[in-house]
Amino acid sequence: MKTVTIFDTTLRDGEQTPGISFPLSYKIQIARQLDKLGVDVIEAGFPAATKGEFEAVKEISNLGLNSKIAGLARIVKEDIDAALKADVDMVHIFISTSKIQIEHTIQKSRDEIIQLSVEAVEYIKSHGAECMFSAMDATRTEVEYLKQIYKAVEEAGVDIVNVPDTVGVATPFKMYELIKQLREHLSVPIDVHCHNDFGLAVANTYAAVIAGANQAQVTVNGIGERAGNASLEQVVMILHAIENVRTNIKTEYLVETSKLVERLSGIKMPPNTPIIGENAFSHESGIHAHGVIREASTFEPGVMTPEMVGHRRRIVLGKHAGRHQIQKILEDAGYEVDEDMLTKIFERVKDMGDRGKKVTDLDLFTIAEVIMGEVKKEERVINVDEITVITGNKITPTAVINADVFGEKKVTSAIGVGPVDASLKAVTELVGRKIKITEFKMDAITGGSDAIAEVYVTIEDEDGKNFTSRGAGTDIVMASIDAVINAVNYLMRRKMRQND
Ligand code: KIV
Ligand code: ZN
């Protein structure tokens, strides 16, 4: 079985995403996570770029991680020395090789470029570091010249050559052909680095591996210069699940890693992003949900399960919901409904969906309870009397809640990273139950600063069961608290009923 190594450049090319600059503490968190994930090489940065970048690469090099640490350098002595001084295991050198870049940027002869590249490789190797050589804009470089320069650095002792599709113009077929030719011509391992200008970065990386590339350069969530790079998650899972090509990635940490980078980069992934997106394993259509409830691989790839990537499967309610889906969710939550009741519940859910409403689990439970005649009046066991939230510059966000819990007056307070976080912590404290808020999402449903915010939370109860709830209002703190209180009220009611 073929094994491909993974070279992650989230901290270098990923940081070239317009608007991103990771502070040192973020870089360290990401590097540790990439190490946990099992990437073979972490490109920690471009040490010669700034003093801060040098410090960051040096610090990451000395964290004692299992992954090798690489630093980027142009083919100039100062850059290479900066990388070596930053204690990297590998210096990744690059120089333009395409006609357009040579003419407009470096203005050197082709022979001179080869000569400088060879000298750089020899210099790095004489300092005991590994060396990767990138012919920048390789996919727009004449193939004969590419072969010549890669052969020259191979003879100079380079450890691996990289084939960058710098402006993302390759296509899978062209990439396959190019890598096949280079593979036949060279003995050193080949790496590929694909940009996503036409949305083909993952497909091109995949084609390169099938053609014989030994290493894939990727970034978490596909972030990077312009439209980004090939996404680590997608490349790895295509190789693992479809092609049976191994990597050293512990795939169960993919979602966790993606979420960390999403949070630290501020670049939110769309819900339909493959592998790690919120909807990657969610089923809304009744037909699909029915199939998945019986056998997940009916409407999922099967060769890739949510557990394999650290995700979870969700059956989501909406206007396409089916009876089986509703029945299953109700049964899992302990409701026993007969056929008549199910028909009525089903119609109400469809009606909500038709009116453009997301149907949370709590909406479904409330509908079911009303139809089953279990809720004759509002049975709120918690009623919030007063909430005070303090936040501001240089103030730790703090929330104080006065509430009536089972007829008893209670006061709790909590601090958090923001006013919503503090309030939600105070609410969970108030009810003294081991519930966890595992997901939190806020949508503005009207425009302007007076927009109505709709908050969706996923709560995990003491038994590890997840369910969704909603709150809405113009005050985001109150809407958030409402969503959680609604969920807690439901949990309490359920508990009381079970004890009856
Ligand atoms: O896209 C590119 O060519 C690069 C090189 C530095 C490898 O990022
Ligand atoms: Zn790049």
Side-chain angles (χ1 to χ4, degrees):
M1 199 186 290
K2 180 173 170 169
T3 300
V4 162
T5 52
I6 297 295
F7 180 107
D8 180 278
T9 181
T10 306
L11 294 176
R12 198 278 298 169
D13 212 317
E15 208 195 18
Q16 286 171 223
T17 306
I20 295 188
S21 169
F22 294 123
L24 176 63
S25 66
Y26 284 16
K27 284 203 166 206
I28 290 175
Q29 280 186 68
I30 294 173
R32 285 194 192 282
Q33 181 69 27
L34 292 172
D35 185 53
K36 175 177 173 190
L37 184 66
V39 310
D40 300 276
V41 189
I42 297 171
E43 186 163 49
F46 192 168
T50 64
K51 194 163 164 285
E53 184 79 352
F54 172 81
E55 305 287 346
V57 177
K58 188 165 172 132
E59 187 128 356
I60 293 169
S61 298
N62 290 299
L63 286 176
L65 305 180
N66 290 317
S67 311
K68 283 184 191 165
I69 306 302
L72 186 70
R74 288 169 301 173
I75 298 199
V76 293
K77 190 169 175 303
E78 301 77 65
D79 278 24
I80 297 172
D81 284 341
L84 293 169
K85 281 200 196 109
D87 299 333
V88 297
D89 301 297
M90 175 189 278
V91 184
H92 171 194
I93 47 171
F94 69 99
I95 189 158
S96 296
T97 52
S98 66
K99 184 166 178 287
I100 184 147
Q101 290 198 356
I102 292 175
E103 269 176 27
H104 294 283
T105 61
I106 56 175
Q107 290 152 347
K108 291 192 191 318
S109 78
R110 285 182 164 66
D111 285 347
E112 213 179 334
I113 291 171
I114 294 183
Q115 182 58 30
L116 289 169
S117 304
V118 165
E119 283 168 15
V121 173
E122 286 169 351
Y123 182 71
I124 293 162
K125 294 306 293 176
S126 73
H127 283 78
E130 283 187 39
C131 177
M132 174 159 73
F133 171 79
S134 281
M136 188 151 78
D137 209 9
T139 51
R140 290 195 299 178
T141 302
E142 295 90 335
V143 179
E144 283 317 307
Y145 182 59
L146 260 191
K147 286 183 178 169
Q148 201 187 338
I149 194 163
Y150 283 141
K151 198 67 186 174
V153 292
E154 175 176 296
E155 283 164 2
V158 84
D159 295 282
I160 182 164
V161 293
N162 178 33
V163 183
D165 182 26
T166 303
V167 292
V169 288
T171 61
F173 297 108
K174 286 189 188 151
M175 197 62 168
Y176 181 90
E177 274 311 313
L178 175 64
I179 299 298
K180 200 157 158 277
Q181 282 195 49
L182 292 173
R183 186 60 293 153
E184 280 161 13
H185 184 71
L186 299 167
S187 307
V188 281
I190 298 177
D191 171 283
V192 283
H193 172 105
C194 299
H195 276 277
N196 206 28
D197 300 66
F198 287 92
L200 288 172
V202 169
N204 289 336
T205 307
Y206 161 67
V209 169
I210 300 303
N214 311 84
Q215 179 163 284
Q217 257 188 52
V218 288
T219 58
V220 176
N221 295 341
I223 60 172
E225 189 85 49
R226 306 184 308 283
N229 293 67
S231 119
L232 181 152
E233 315 70 68
Q234 292 171 33
V235 168
V236 166
M237 287 317 293
I238 291 169
L239 297 181
H240 276 235
I242 302 180
E243 290 298 339
N244 221 1
V245 170
R246 304 319 305 163
T247 69
N248 295 317
I249 296 298
K250 299 180 186 82
T251 59
E252 64 275 22
Y253 298 129
L254 284 173
V255 169
E256 181 182 296
T257 308
S258 160
K259 286 209 182 307
L260 178 78
V261 171
E262 191 173 67
R263 185 162 60 79
L264 300 184
S265 66
I267 298 192
K268 184 109 184 77
M269 301 314 289
N272 60 341
T273 309
I275 324 287
I276 49 84
E278 200 179 311
N279 292 350
F281 297 93
S282 297
H283 305 271
E284 202 242 20
S285 133
I287 299 165
H288 287 212
H290 183 201
V292 165
I293 289 165
R294 292 197 165 174
E295 167 52 53
S297 55
T298 49
F299 288 97
E300 278 179 14
V303 287
M304 174 173 72
T305 63
E307 295 76 25
M308 275 167 82
V309 300
H311 215 318
R312 66 191 172 86
R313 181 172 297 114
R314 286 192 313 154
I315 305 291
V316 181
L317 291 169
K319 72 173 179 185
H320 305 106
R323 283 175 73 92
H324 285 98
Q325 192 177 347
I326 291 177
Q327 191 173 20
K328 165 91 172 105
I329 297 174
L330 289 174
E331 275 172 12
D332 283 354
Y335 292 94
E336 280 171 29
V337 286
D338 61 26
E339 284 301 307
D340 273 1
M341 287 171 181
L342 188 59
T343 305
K344 285 187 191 139
I345 296 167
F346 178 65
E347 277 162 9
R348 292 265 185 100
V349 169
K350 289 274 195 194
D351 181 53
M352 267 185 92
D354 258 346
R355 284 186 281 118
K357 285 254 163 226
K358 260 188 211 161
V359 186
T360 65
D361 295 336
L362 200 59
D363 292 329
L364 173 66
F365 301 154
T366 309
I367 292 171
E369 287 174 9
V370 169
I371 285 173
M372 290 162 76
E374 291 189 9
V375 176
K376 293 179 186 67
K377 58 175 179 24
E378 259 267 275
E379 292 178 317
R380 288 177 80 89
V381 287
I382 304 178
N383 282 299
V384 173
D385 296 328
E386 208 179 278
I387 299 177
T388 313
V389 184
I390 309 160
T391 189
N393 191 14
K394 297 192 181 145
I395 293 173
T396 306
T398 309
V400 181
I401 301 189
N402 287 282
D404 194 302
V405 183
F406 288 111
E408 205 186 302
K409 295 281 177 208
K410 281 201 170 183
V411 184
T412 54
S413 63
I415 57 170
V417 293
V420 172
D421 185 47
S423 310
L424 296 189
K425 283 186 177 141
V427 175
T428 41
E429 183 88 357
L430 182 72
V431 293
R433 292 176 64 111
K434 289 197 185 63
I435 59 159
K436 264 202 284 187
I437 299 160
T438 53
E439 256 175 52
F440 179 90
K441 189 164 170 270
M442 188 179 298
D443 291 336
I445 47 181
T446 52
S449 58
D450 59 350
I452 291 184
E454 205 160 20
V455 174
Y456 293 89
V457 289
T458 304
I459 306 277
E460 190 180 288
D461 69 11
E462 287 127 325
D463 308 322
K465 282 197 178 150
N466 281 282
F467 69 97
T468 49
S469 166
R470 173 216 323 265
T474 46
D475 181 324
I476 56 168
V477 173
M478 292 309 297
S480 310
I481 291 177
D482 238 24
V484 177
I485 294 269
N486 287 342
V488 171
N489 267 318
Y490 161 74
L491 278 176
M492 298 265 200
R493 281 204 312 270
R494 195 177 68 182
K495 192 96 181 172
M496 278 157 54
R497 219 168 289 134
Q498 279 162 359
N499 294 338
D500 274 350

